[in-house]
Amino acid sequence: MAWNKHLKLASVILFLSLIALTACRISIKMNGSALDYTVYKTIRVSDFPIRAALVYPPLQQTFETELLDYITKNTRLRTTDGAADIELEGEITAYNLTPQAVTENAYASMTRLTISVRVRYIDNKADNNDADQTFSAYRDFDSSEMLTDVQDQLCEEISKELVELIFNATLGNW
């Protein structure tokens, strides 16, 4: 009799466990993207022209290449020039140099390069996901260095940081 009771209890526990397992769906996204690929298949990334007072022409290409590469590596979206499920557009709005860490003789020992990018995220599948936001990032460099000597490296580093911020705020859906 006790054996039969334990068998029934074990059967009930097994049955409930199976129901719980089939009712739960575990979803892990290893690429950082939180997109539903049954809904979103394409993305259009427009040019990001420089609209800053100070212009460093290679910055536009550096930023755009970094953005497209990051999207390609971290999503399954297909880039297109035509109509798309998601659109990213905007402009580089600031490229500023400011003195930092002023010494006792009133000279700056460090200079900060700040780049800002305005991004418009358009979700053509769900209007409530649209966003218009500005992202900024900076790097400091020693004032004894010429900007022309460090500019390319700083622009690459800042572009990478900006792209990660933009991705996390839009496609990453954090």
Side-chain angles (χ1 to χ4, degrees), residues 40 48 60 94 103 112 158 168:
Y40 299 99
F48 280 75
Q60 180 178 350
T103 61
R112 175 168 291 171
I158 294 170
N168 289 338

Side-chain angles (χ1 to χ4, degrees), residues 82-155:
D85 300 327
I86 296 171
E87 299 175 39
L88 281 177
E89 59 186 34
E91 57 267 340
I92 299 168
T93 57
Y95 185 89
N96 300 323
L97 293 168
T98 52
Q100 303 294 309
V102 177
T103 61
E104 66 277 350
N105 58 5
Y107 290 107
S109 62
M110 299 294 287
T111 302
R112 175 168 291 171
L113 173 61
T114 304
I115 300 173
S116 298
V117 178
R118 180 180 178 202
V119 176
R120 286 174 296 283
Y121 174 83
I122 302 159
D123 185 334
N124 290 318
K125 298 291 185 177
D127 291 339
N128 61 334
N129 290 337
D130 290 358
D132 188 337
Q133 189 174 351
T134 298
F135 300 87
S136 293
Y138 66 86
R139 290 292 182 276
D140 294 337
F141 64 98
D142 194 291
S143 292
S144 65
E145 295 179 283
M146 296 292 295
L147 175 62
T148 54
D149 294 337
V150 295
Q151 194 165 216
D152 287 336
Q153 177 187 348
L154 295 175
C155 286

Side-chain angles (χ1 to χ4, degrees), residues 50 55-63 152 155:
I50 300 173
V55 175
Y56 179 58
L59 175 60
Q60 180 178 350
Q61 184 66 41
T62 300
F63 175 77
D152 287 336
C155 286

